[in-house]
């Protein structure tokens, strides 16, 4: 079955960096667009960054532009999110997701989801 497993979350001080990784199995990874989403208590799940199947096209939420970078390795079936200059408002559970619906930032279009990894940024 399809599995998406995130790793790399943790606690970091404001201004610090973290790198999240998502390992995919059970699907033809290079056929899927991938996305990173996040959700904090009391808020809806929001798109952070998405990348197309080939890695050439990506979109970022305005709140993370210039700080976060999404990348993928279709040989290793992984997608990563490099997060720099972290802020307390970046605190959330981060999820990776896979979609064949065309590159989109709409969570409902994603077919498969990981279990999430907690990122906590202290001030």
């Amino acid at each position: 079955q399809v599995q998406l497993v995130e790793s790399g979350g943790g606690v970091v001080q404001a201004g610090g960096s973290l790198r999240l990784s998502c390992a995919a199995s059970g699907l033809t990874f290079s056929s899927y667009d991938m996305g990173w989403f996040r959700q904090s208590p009391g808020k809806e799940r929001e798109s952070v960054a998405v990348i197309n199947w080939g890695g050439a096209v990506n979109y970022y939420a305005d709140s993370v532009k210039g700080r976060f970078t999404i990348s993928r390795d279709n040989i290793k079936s992984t997608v990563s999110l490099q997060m720099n200059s972290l802020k307390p408002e970046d605190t959330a559970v981060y999820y990776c997701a896979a979609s064949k619906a065309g590159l989109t930032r709409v969570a409902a279009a994603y077919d498969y989801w990981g279990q999430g990894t907690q990122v906590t940024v202290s001030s």
Side-chain angles (χ1 to χ4, degrees):
Q1 73 277 21
V2 175
Q3 282 193 313
L4 301 177
V5 180
E6 301 97 336
S7 61
V11 180
V12 63
Q13 287 191 331
S17 298
L18 281 174
R19 185 177 180 86
L20 304 183
S21 293
C22 172
S25 60
L27 76 170
T28 305
F29 183 74
S30 58
S31 297
Y32 284 80
D33 301 322
M34 299 298 295
W36 284 98
F37 294 77
R38 67 186 181 188
Q39 188 168 21
S40 51
K43 294 187 178 181
E44 291 189 358
R45 189 169 298 190
E46 64 171 346
S47 170
V48 175
V50 298
I51 188 167
N52 80 320
W53 60 272
V57 182
N58 50 59
Y59 297 108
Y60 295 92
D62 288 343
S63 58
V64 307
K65 278 181 183 176
R67 301 189 297 123
F68 290 13
T69 302
I70 189 171
S71 60
R72 66 186 295 159
D73 185 331
N74 285 348
I75 302 298
K76 296 181 179 179
S77 297
T78 59
V79 59
S80 299
L81 185 69
Q82 177 66 44
M83 305 187 295
N84 298 329
S85 302
L86 283 160
K87 304 175 181 180
E89 50 264 44
D90 295 318
T91 295
V93 178
Y94 284 71
Y95 301 88
C96 72
S99 170
K100 292 190 78 171
L103 191 61
T104 176
R105 297 180 58 194
V106 177
Y110 284 74
D111 304 300
Y112 303 107
W113 292 83
Q115 82 288 350
T117 186
Q118 176 71 46
V119 171
T120 302
V121 184
S122 61
S123 56

